[in-house]
Amino acid sequence: MRKSNFALRLQPSLLDEARKVAENEGVALNQLINVAVAEKLSALRTESYFQERAERADIPRALAILERAGIGNPPIPGDERD
């Protein structure tokens, strides 16, 4: 894995808080920042993934499938809702 350096300018209060969290978690500040960036990127990618999937969705077809769900399959013991 290739590593690189990047000068990151954080507001002092944010840096202090990040240091405290890293210390409480028992990890290096660098690792905390790497994980935080990875989590944010993952969240953004997940959002755009679901947006793309929604744009391709065939709602009438999905509703038709749900309408058929369970037809011919009566409930069995344990299917009750609590």
Side-chain angles (χ1 to χ4, degrees):
M1 174 174 67
R2 192 177 130 224
K3 295 181 181 184
S4 60
N5 292 328
F6 179 79
L8 180 62
R9 292 177 199 80
L10 295 175
Q11 293 183 1
S13 59
L14 185 58
L15 180 57
D16 289 341
E17 192 63 28
R19 283 186 173 132
K20 289 176 190 172
V21 171
E23 185 176 334
N24 289 338
E25 293 293 317
V27 299
L29 178 59
N30 188 62
Q31 182 178 357
L32 178 78
I33 292 170
N34 271 285
V35 170
V37 170
E39 287 178 1
K40 181 62 177 183
L41 290 173
S42 177
L44 292 171
R45 287 182 178 158
T46 299
E47 180 182 356
S48 60
Y49 169 79
F50 282 112
Q51 284 176 343
E52 290 169 10
R53 289 292 306 257
E55 290 169 5
R56 296 190 322 237
D58 185 343
I59 302 298
R61 183 171 176 228
L63 292 174
I65 291 169
L66 290 174
E67 193 68 34
R68 293 192 321 262
I71 293 178
N73 296 313
I76 59 173
D79 283 348
E80 299 87 15
R81 291 177 51 184
D82 292 332

